[in-house]
Amino acid sequence: MDTAPFHLGLYAARGRYAELGLSQMLPLQRVLLGAESVRGGAFGGFHHPDQGYRHLQMLAVITMYGPMGQEVPERPELALLDLLRAYAHDCLHYGSRRRYVNVAGVPVRTQYGINYRRSTGQTYSSADPQGAPYTRNIGVVMEGACDREARRITRETAARAGLLEPDDVFGRLAFRDTTGTLSDDDVMPDQGEEGPGEAAQYVGALRRYETRVNRRYAVFLSEFAPGEEDDLHDLLLTAVVSGDTRGLSIWLDARHGPGTFAGAFQSGTYFTPALDLSA
């Protein structure tokens, strides 16, 4: 396999993330890549169930895109782009500011980037309504920001490496997903999306992630920063890495009035007293 496109993207990610304040990338020795499976019909990739970054272990668990019945990927170029997108995405999770407190001998994460959770369990934001095209959940915003950046790096790397969109429907969908170029038709459910087979289930997971995360984040940027989407995106990622919302809050307040950050994201139950009913 020619792994040059991955290393090209890795170089680009290092420079870009340094601009955002991330001085250290996720060490490659802390990335576990599953390439083979004994499970019949196993299908891997970014949307594989339970794939992602483990914050306590500081490990990224990634699977090779495509059928996992053999060590060598069936479609090497798509597998490399998917790997780059996953690694660039998890680097931002690894580099996000975190704070933990000790609760009865158990480490509890109370801050992740610019998202917060009280030691008693209350989360900063409420979940978005089912089927909402927008988001007021800071977790969705952070996830969308990380993936927008990872897919931008992958898209530009594919262009520099001369990697073209495949002609077949499934390959085209995977290429557009990793490069952030999915169309409205691409995310429309079709017959058999949730049918038998892990490949079909993978497509369903891809479309749900695009709808619930990436598209909601895009709507958020257009709502709060029309014509300045890239500026707000950069401010968000810088705040996620540093854990400091002051610059982001000043920028939002200047455009939408005082207290915009808390007004948009803070749940009314965040400071609700946690009562111990067992006492």
Side-chain angles (χ1 to χ4, degrees):
M1 285 179 58
D2 178 11
T3 59
F6 177 80
H7 293 285
L8 182 66
L10 184 60
Y11 179 80
R14 285 195 183 108
R16 168 60 174 161
Y17 290 176
E19 295 174 356
L20 298 171
L22 182 58
S23 59
Q24 182 180 352
M25 300 280 280
L26 171 63
L28 289 171
Q29 62 266 30
R30 303 204 67 78
V31 179
L32 305 181
L33 176 61
E36 291 183 89
S37 175
V38 297
R39 189 177 64 255
F43 194 94
F46 183 82
H47 301 286
H48 187 276
D50 299 324
Q51 173 166 319
Y53 184 71
R54 308 298 196 264
H55 68 96
L56 277 178
Q57 297 84 358
M58 298 180 73
L59 285 171
V61 179
I62 295 173
T63 54
M64 179 186 74
Y65 172 78
M68 298 178 66
Q70 67 279 336
E71 183 179 357
V72 179
E74 183 177 271
R75 308 188 73 162
E77 291 183 348
L78 288 178
L80 281 174
L81 290 178
D82 184 85
L83 175 61
L84 175 60
R85 183 258 193 102
Y87 177 70
H89 183 110
D90 285 347
C91 275
L92 289 170
H93 286 322
Y94 168 78
S96 299
R97 172 73 174 176
R98 292 186 291 275
R99 187 191 307 271
Y100 297 86
V101 297
N102 187 317
V103 179
V106 177
V108 175
R109 188 175 67 180
T110 57
Q111 179 181 2
Y112 165 55
I114 53 175
N115 199 9
Y116 308 94
R117 180 187 299 272
R118 295 183 64 195
S119 60
T120 47
Q122 295 99 313
T123 58
Y124 191 79
S125 299
S126 300
D128 291 322
Q130 183 72 22
Y134 62 88
T135 184
R136 291 296 183 269
N137 183 280
I138 194 64
V140 172
V141 167
M142 287 175 49
E143 178 71 8
C146 290
D147 205 45
R148 177 186 173 101
E149 192 61 36
R151 298 206 295 181
R152 185 191 63 78
I153 290 169
T154 306
R155 180 171 62 254
E156 293 179 357
T157 299
R160 286 196 296 269
L163 303 181
L164 302 177
E165 183 177 287
D167 293 329
D168 65 289
V169 174
F170 205 91
R172 184 165 63 248
L173 191 65
F175 183 90
R176 291 179 179 180
D177 176 48
T178 60
T179 57
T181 55
L182 289 165
S183 68
D184 291 341
D185 289 341
D186 289 332
V187 297
M188 290 293 292
D190 56 21
Q191 294 277 333
E193 176 189 286
E194 302 295 342
E198 290 193 20
Q201 294 168 14
Y202 184 89
V203 172
L206 180 158
R207 287 171 170 156
R208 288 190 295 274
Y209 185 86
E210 174 69 10
T211 300
R212 298 173 185 177
V213 176
N214 285 312
R215 300 220 163 189
R216 287 182 181 178
Y217 178 60
V219 169
F220 166 78
L221 291 178
S222 66
E223 279 186 300
F224 285 85
E228 299 178 287
E229 291 89 347
D230 289 342
D231 294 338
L232 178 55
H233 172 70
D234 288 355
L235 280 168
L236 276 163
L237 286 179
T238 301
V240 165
V241 172
S242 67
D244 187 345
T245 63
R246 285 176 294 181
L248 172 62
S249 295
I250 290 170
W251 194 93
L252 289 170
D253 287 353
R255 287 154 179 80
H256 304 286
T260 298
F261 183 89
F265 297 118
Q266 186 176 300
S267 166
T269 61
Y270 182 61
F271 288 112
T272 300
L275 302 178
D276 184 1
L277 300 180
S278 64

